Amino acid sequence: MGAGPIGCELAQSFQRLGSQVTLIDMADRVLPKEDADVSALLADVLRGEGIDVLTSHKAVRFEVGAQKRLIADNEGVSVEIPFDEVIVAVGRRAHTESLGLAELGIGLNRDGTVVVDEYLRTGVPNIFACGDVAGPYQFTHMASHQAWYAAVNALFRAIPEVQGQLRRGAVGDVYRPPKSLAWVCQLMKRKRTASMLKSLDTNSHTSIARSRTAKRAASSRCSRSADPIGSSARPSSRRPRAN
Ligand SMILES: Cc1cc2nc3c(=O)[nH]c(=O)nc-3n(C[C@H](O)[C@H](O)[C@H](O)COP(=O)(O)OP(=O)(O)OC[C@H]3O[C@@H](n4cnc5c(N)ncnc54)[C@H](O)[C@@H]3O)c2cc1C
């Protein structure tokens, strides 16, 4: 359930391992956050591998009796989908509610992520956050990119010239099957994105593993476009604000 990147890759994995997979999503296409032609290409590939791809199917309830069934609404028509096992891949949330962060004065955004400023500082000056828990992009390469900034700022924040500001940059990702589908977008809105996109070598995505390519897309473009250590970055007096 859920035809985002994780749902699609798990669907394909289990289909290739021998399961008969039905992939459902309430959106009218797989990878609903990507361009429509990317969705169409991937849907063709998944169907070609034998996956039953059901878009515009909104899960309503599960019924577990002699047979397990998912009841879905397909544009006003109730559809029964029998299953043995279900994998729910409809998005991830940071588990931050029970950590006592509010008591420390660390704010949370509506989606559960920790409020940080452009230096990845939380509301408590010596507590930083990076990765999925800080958002906004839940990617391995974004987590490692942020970790570098958070570590440098935590260690050297007393030296303004050394602070790294996570203000500008590009973030990209690559889906492996059937051939890599890549995207890159702005981390924060800046006019330089157009030139970054032009210079991005998209051909390389077809032959390089997802994480390496994505990391390269993110770190080379991001670090060049983000304020590097020792450049114009200056500490901000602003407190972090919720999104
Ligand atoms: C199925 C799946 C596929 C994915 N595929 C990709 C992909 O192809 N490419 C990509 O870029 N990203 C992918 N991601 C996302 C990627 O895994 C995350 O963005 C990345 O792991 C974030 O790193 P992190 O260090 O912020 O968090 P995590 O990797 O989640 O690490 C957080 C760690 O903190 C621990 N922890 C949590 N709470 C506590 C606590 N209270 N006390 C102590 N420890 C705690 C957890 O056990 C965990 O080990 C995928 C995610 C999933 C679920």
Side-chain angles (χ1 to χ4, degrees):
M1 185 194 314
I6 289 174
C8 286
E9 73 184 5
L10 289 176
Q12 189 182 48
S13 300
F14 278 95
Q15 184 74 21
R16 288 182 177 183
L17 287 168
S19 304
Q20 176 54 57
V21 174
T22 302
L23 177 63
I24 79 154
D25 199 298
M26 64 182 181
D28 61 1
R29 56 194 176 93
V30 301
L31 301 183
K33 292 179 186 163
E34 309 303 335
D35 291 347
D37 51 349
V38 170
S39 300
L41 176 63
L42 187 59
D44 282 350
V45 170
L46 296 177
R47 289 194 173 108
E49 294 193 14
I51 297 171
D52 192 10
V53 179
L54 302 177
T55 52
S56 302
H57 279 66
K58 182 174 183 176
V60 177
R61 67 180 183 278
F62 292 105
E63 290 181 356
V64 181
Q67 192 186 38
K68 295 189 244 179
R69 294 179 303 180
L70 167 63
I71 311 300
D73 178 272
N74 173 217
E75 295 169 345
V77 178
S78 184
V79 178
E80 292 185 5
I81 303 163
F83 67 89
D84 298 313
E85 304 293 339
V86 62
I87 294 179
V88 180
V90 295
R92 295 181 290 128
R93 265 185 77 88
H95 290 294
T96 45
E97 291 83 3
S98 58
L99 295 176
L101 297 178
E103 286 78 358
L104 290 176
I106 295 176
L108 298 180
N109 294 306
R110 266 180 303 178
D111 63 1
T113 54
V114 174
V115 176
V116 291
D117 65 10
E118 60 267 43
Y119 299 96
L120 296 166
R121 288 181 302 204
T122 68
V124 176
N126 63 344
I127 299 182
F128 292 70
C130 62
D132 281 5
V133 82
Y137 299 110
Q138 296 176 313
F139 297 126
T140 306
H141 44 288
M142 182 50 64
S144 84
H145 184 66
Q146 290 184 341
W148 186 90
Y149 281 92
V152 165
N153 290 333
L155 289 169
F156 304 116
R157 67 184 185 281
I159 310 169
E161 287 71 23
V162 183
Q163 287 199 337
Q165 191 184 35
L166 193 78
R167 187 188 283 281
R168 298 196 291 268
V171 59
D173 196 19
V174 182
Y175 306 110
R176 275 292 271 173
K179 52 186 179 182
S180 297
L181 310 169
W183 63 264
V184 60
C185 75
Q186 285 168 290
L187 180 58
M188 300 284 175
K189 289 207 180 307
R190 292 280 162 172
K191 287 181 185 165
R192 292 173 61 183
T193 300
S195 60
M196 288 193 293
L197 281 173
K198 272 187 206 155
S199 62
L200 186 68
D201 175 14
T202 48
N203 291 330
S204 64
H205 291 144
T206 55
S207 57
I208 300 175
R210 170 181 185 153
S211 56
R212 276 182 53 207
T213 309
K215 188 172 178 181
R216 198 171 67 175
S219 64
S220 68
R221 304 295 159 192
C222 283
S223 57
R224 230 174 284 159
S225 57
D227 283 349
I229 288 218
S231 76
S232 60
R234 289 288 180 277
S236 166
S237 56
R238 280 191 291 124
R239 301 282 292 173
R241 278 182 312 177
N243 289 340

